[in-house]
């Protein structure tokens, strides 16, 4: 082969395929009076943050909910408030809300933690304060919004490399796979983004494969109306870097799906699909034969002539690999 797979890795454009999780998308305050209060607090945030934190520790669930909602909005609408709120001591009482039996209060706590986690300076402190396990519990048994915002918060925490293993060990991966399969469209996007980030670590790749993610991903890739083809393919491209991932992908019928994407997908989808095929074919003559039997050569040739420069390069490399002699000068593909 002219080039190694590492030189043909997916470009950083993959980030544009995923959910940005750049703030919560929960509902605002329901009443005009509370909206007026929100505006008043926003204008004098520095004075009210200590009182809001005090209310988080109140024995009144109503006061706790109100304080969590207001902190959440202060952190959502003004990035400069995120560090102020954390430095004022909000993180620990917010984390305690994540274990509340009141699901609405739990949701407000999760969402506030998510918005604070958007500040890079807060991520390490949130994790060190013990947020990971409660966020995973909310991902398991919270409201639909709490699950989605937990996935986003875990994604943000996973951007600190040391947190990825801790999140995986806490049991997040199977729950994210479940959200990917059964969640709303937003939930699926958030779950795929979190999984993509977490699975840069080999141990989490293995957890995802064990949780049955390949079946879910192949089904989403095969459904061009799901708006999840790109996202699912990017996750697959990370998982097939390990042998167990490649085997699971093939076992779940992934090869014909990816070959179809090479033939009829968008330019970006075709490029991801070729990367996946390169990864599964590089060390397996058996998989090369399977790819050839699915009729991959003609669409690959077409892509090598009419795709983007990156897609052409990858298609040419894959064609060369598929046509390499196995033995007795007989190539894997004869077409």
């Amino acid at each position: 082969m002219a080039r190694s797979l590492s030189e043909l890795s997916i470009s950083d454009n993959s980030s544009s395929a995923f959910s940005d999780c750049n703030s919560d998308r929960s509902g605002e305050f329901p009443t005009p009076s509370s909206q007026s209060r929100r505006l008043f607090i926003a204008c004098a945030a520095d004075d009210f943050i200590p009182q809001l934190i005090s209310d988080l520790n109140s024995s009144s669930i109503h006061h706790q909910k109100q304080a969590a909602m207001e902190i959440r909005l202060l952190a959502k609408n003004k990035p400069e408030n995120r560090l102020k709120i954390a430095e004022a001591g909000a993180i620990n009482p917010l984390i305690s809300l994540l274990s509340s039996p009141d699901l609405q209060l739990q949701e407000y706590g999760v969402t506030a933690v998510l918005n604070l986690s958007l500040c890079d300076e807060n991520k390490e402190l949130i994790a060190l304060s013990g947020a990971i396990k409660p966020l995973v519990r909310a991902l398991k048994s919270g409201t639909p919004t709490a699950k989605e915002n937990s996935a986003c918060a875990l994604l943000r925490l996973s951007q600190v490399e040391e947190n990825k293993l801790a999140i995986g060990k806490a049991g997040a991966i199977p729950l994210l796979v479940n959200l990917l399969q059964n969640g709303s469209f937003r939930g699926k996007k958030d779950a795929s983004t979190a999984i993509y980030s977490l699975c840069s670590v080999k141990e989490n790749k293995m957890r995802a494969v064990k949780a049955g993610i390949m079946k879910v991903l192949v089904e989403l890739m095969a459904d061009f109306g799901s708006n999840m083809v790109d996202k699912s393919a990017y996750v697959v491209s990370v998982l097939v870097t390990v042998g167990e991932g490649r085997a699971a992908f093939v076992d779940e019928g992934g090869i014909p799906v990816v070959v179809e994407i090479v033939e009829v997908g968008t330019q970006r989808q075709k490029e991801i699909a070729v990367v996946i095929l390169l990864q599964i074919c590089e060390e397996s003559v058996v998989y090369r034969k399977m790819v050839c039997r699915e009729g991959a050569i003609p669409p690959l040739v077409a892509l090598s002539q009419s795709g983007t420069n990156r897609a052409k390069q990858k298609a040419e490399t894959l064609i060369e690999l598929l046509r390499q002699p196995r033995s007795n000068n007989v190539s894997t593909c004869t077409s």
Side-chain angles (χ1 to χ4, degrees):
M1 293 174 63
R3 306 171 186 85
S4 68
L5 286 183
S6 61
E7 292 173 307
L8 293 170
S9 60
I10 297 174
S11 70
D12 291 338
N13 291 335
S14 61
S15 61
S16 64
F18 288 108
S19 167
D20 52 15
C21 283
N22 60 359
S23 73
D24 75 87
R25 284 152 282 184
S26 306
E28 301 295 327
F29 287 121
T31 66
S33 61
S34 56
Q35 289 173 351
S36 298
R37 174 176 167 81
R38 179 189 64 188
L39 179 62
F40 179 69
I41 291 175
C43 293
D46 290 351
D47 296 330
F48 277 88
I49 287 172
Q51 181 59 52
L52 293 174
I53 294 173
S54 177
D55 288 345
L56 290 176
N57 294 309
S58 169
S59 59
S60 165
I61 288 182
H62 172 75
H63 288 160
Q64 288 180 309
K65 287 181 180 179
Q66 188 74 17
M69 284 194 295
E70 289 166 350
I71 287 175
R72 170 211 132 203
L73 288 170
L74 285 173
K76 174 180 180 178
N77 296 324
K78 286 194 173 183
E80 62 269 23
N81 286 336
R82 295 166 188 160
L83 190 56
K84 291 179 183 178
I85 293 169
E87 289 177 341
I91 289 176
N92 282 325
L94 283 172
I95 289 174
S96 71
L97 300 186
L98 305 187
S99 301
S100 172
D102 185 298
L103 292 183
Q104 188 179 53
L105 181 57
Q106 180 193 59
E107 177 187 316
Y108 293 163
V110 166
T111 308
V113 170
L114 162 60
N115 288 349
L116 292 180
S117 74
L118 302 178
C119 173
D120 288 339
E121 290 86 345
N122 290 340
K123 291 171 184 172
E124 185 175 358
L125 178 58
I126 291 171
L128 290 175
S129 298
I132 290 174
K133 288 183 178 179
L135 283 170
V136 171
R137 286 196 294 269
L139 183 60
K140 180 179 182 179
S141 58
T143 67
T145 298
K147 291 179 180 179
E148 292 166 358
N149 288 342
S150 292
C152 277
L154 291 168
L155 163 65
R156 289 294 172 178
L157 296 184
S158 76
Q159 291 167 348
V160 176
E161 193 68 23
E162 292 77 10
N163 291 336
K164 292 183 179 182
L165 275 176
I167 293 170
K169 288 179 180 177
I173 301 292
L175 299 173
L176 289 167
V177 172
N178 182 63
L179 184 61
L180 179 65
Q181 182 172 24
N182 300 310
S184 65
F185 178 58
R186 182 204 156 185
K188 292 178 188 295
K189 289 198 302 178
D190 295 344
S192 66
T193 309
I195 293 167
Y196 182 78
S197 175
L198 290 167
C199 286
S200 64
V201 176
K202 181 178 179 180
E203 291 88 339
N204 288 339
K205 294 176 187 178
M206 304 299 290
R207 292 183 176 105
V209 172
K210 186 177 180 180
I213 193 173
M214 278 303 182
K215 181 177 187 297
V216 180
L217 292 171
V218 170
E219 289 175 353
L220 289 171
M221 289 171 63
D223 182 2
F224 283 88
S226 69
N227 286 324
M228 288 292 296
V229 175
D230 302 53
K231 301 168 187 66
S232 301
Y234 277 119
V235 177
V236 168
S237 73
V238 171
L239 297 176
V240 294
T241 58
V242 295
E244 293 84 354
R246 292 190 290 273
F249 178 74
V250 173
D251 289 345
E252 295 296 342
I255 288 177
V257 172
V258 174
V259 171
E260 183 181 12
I261 292 173
V262 173
E263 187 169 6
V264 302
T266 65
Q267 288 297 332
R268 180 164 69 176
Q269 290 166 359
K270 291 178 180 181
E271 186 174 314
I272 311 167
V274 174
V275 168
I276 293 169
L277 289 174
L278 277 168
Q279 289 167 322
I280 66 172
C281 288
E282 186 181 35
E283 297 180 2
S284 173
V285 172
V286 172
Y287 292 164
R288 293 177 207 172
K289 291 172 66 176
M290 294 173 70
V291 169
C292 290
R293 284 199 296 268
E294 291 299 329
I297 290 291
L300 285 170
V301 170
L303 185 60
S304 71
Q305 296 170 349
S306 62
T308 64
N309 288 336
R310 287 178 59 80
K312 288 178 181 178
Q313 181 187 60
K314 292 170 183 170
E316 289 168 359
T317 303
L318 182 54
I319 292 167
E320 178 185 344
L321 176 62
L322 293 175
R323 287 178 169 167
Q324 279 184 356
R326 297 197 314 271
S327 61
N328 299 323
N329 294 322
V330 178
S331 67
T332 306
C333 290
T334 57
S335 56

